[in-house]
Amino acid sequence: ERTGTRSWLKEVAALPPPTAAVTRGSFVLAAYGALALGDAALSAKLVLEAGGDADLSSLRLIDRAVGLEMLVAAAVEAGDLDSAESWLGRLAPVREHRIVAPTFDRATSRGRLLAGDLEGAVVFAERAVNRAKAEGRTMEATEGEMVRARARIAADDRGAAARDLATMVSDATSRGHLAIHRAAARELRHVGRRL
């Protein structure tokens, strides 16, 4: 619910930086909410506050990984390749950990896309989707499919991207992941396509 989420994000953003696990968790959840609404800058701000430092060392491994991916996404959205590569470098030491691997691949795909390596962006996104599906992590697989669609659109493979997004949205909505429809529609709208 967009209105409720926006209201909650304002409340969390007004809080002082977190010092306890519960408050850090609230900031991480708020960062996820901001990302779902398409606000990468607010998402990055909240996850940095939750993490306590640039390595997000106060967070659990999966939250650190996804938080660093949020920071890569914010840098990519700002067109800042140096920052995207720096955040990706902080994620690299744990990239082969089973729980982090799909996240690292998605973040790498985002960075490759910004660097103009369209083939690499598609390859890393594909790997992210496959790894997440193999682990039964459907939400992460869905995010990987969004990243893959962006890479395919950039590589001028819009038809495949549109087909993949339509299938993904149908599957995700049947599982109750309703926000994905808006995100997929937004991706396609940029290139004059519809779901």
Side-chain angles (χ1 to χ4, degrees):
E1 299 207 2
R2 297 173 71 82
T3 305
T5 302
R6 286 187 199 286
S7 173
W8 178 61
L9 286 173
K10 285 181 187 175
E11 290 178 34
V12 173
L15 294 172
T19 57
V22 171
T23 315
R24 287 186 194 285
S26 294
F27 272 65
V28 169
L29 288 173
Y32 290 143
L35 196 59
L37 294 178
D39 192 339
L42 178 58
S43 176
K45 174 188 176 298
L46 293 168
V47 81
L48 276 170
E49 289 181 1
D53 59 29
D55 287 318
L56 308 183
S57 60
S58 295
L59 301 179
R60 296 175 316 150
L61 181 59
I62 188 59
D63 289 332
R64 274 184 59 214
V66 175
L68 287 165
E69 181 189 14
M70 288 179 200
L71 293 166
V72 170
V76 166
E77 189 173 292
D80 185 349
L81 182 59
D82 289 339
S83 291
E85 288 176 345
S86 175
W87 293 122
L88 194 56
R90 292 178 183 276
L91 185 55
V94 291
R95 70 179 169 254
E96 290 306 320
H97 191 287
R98 194 178 110 230
I99 200 163
V100 175
T103 306
F104 179 80
D105 290 341
R106 284 192 314 270
T108 301
S109 176
R110 293 173 194 275
R112 294 278 173 102
L113 184 58
L114 181 60
D117 177 8
L118 305 181
E119 184 178 325
V122 171
V123 166
F124 274 95
E126 286 281 347
R127 196 163 84 173
V129 170
N130 293 336
R131 285 180 169 186
K133 284 182 177 179
E135 293 286 325
R137 292 160 45 195
T138 56
M139 294 292 280
E140 285 198 62
T142 299
E143 182 61 25
E145 291 182 40
M146 291 294 296
V147 171
R148 181 179 60 195
R150 271 184 220 120
R152 283 185 171 163
I153 288 168
D156 209 26
D157 192 3
R158 296 173 180 173
R163 284 188 301 277
D164 288 350
L165 285 176
T167 301
M168 184 260 309
V169 165
S170 177
D171 292 345
T173 350
S174 71
R175 291 188 314 272
H177 187 190
L178 305 178
I180 200 66
H181 187 277
R182 281 190 296 273
R186 186 172 48 237
E187 289 301 322
L188 291 175
R189 196 172 318 124
H190 293 300
V191 293
R193 296 225 178 198
R194 297 175 59 183
L195 279 175

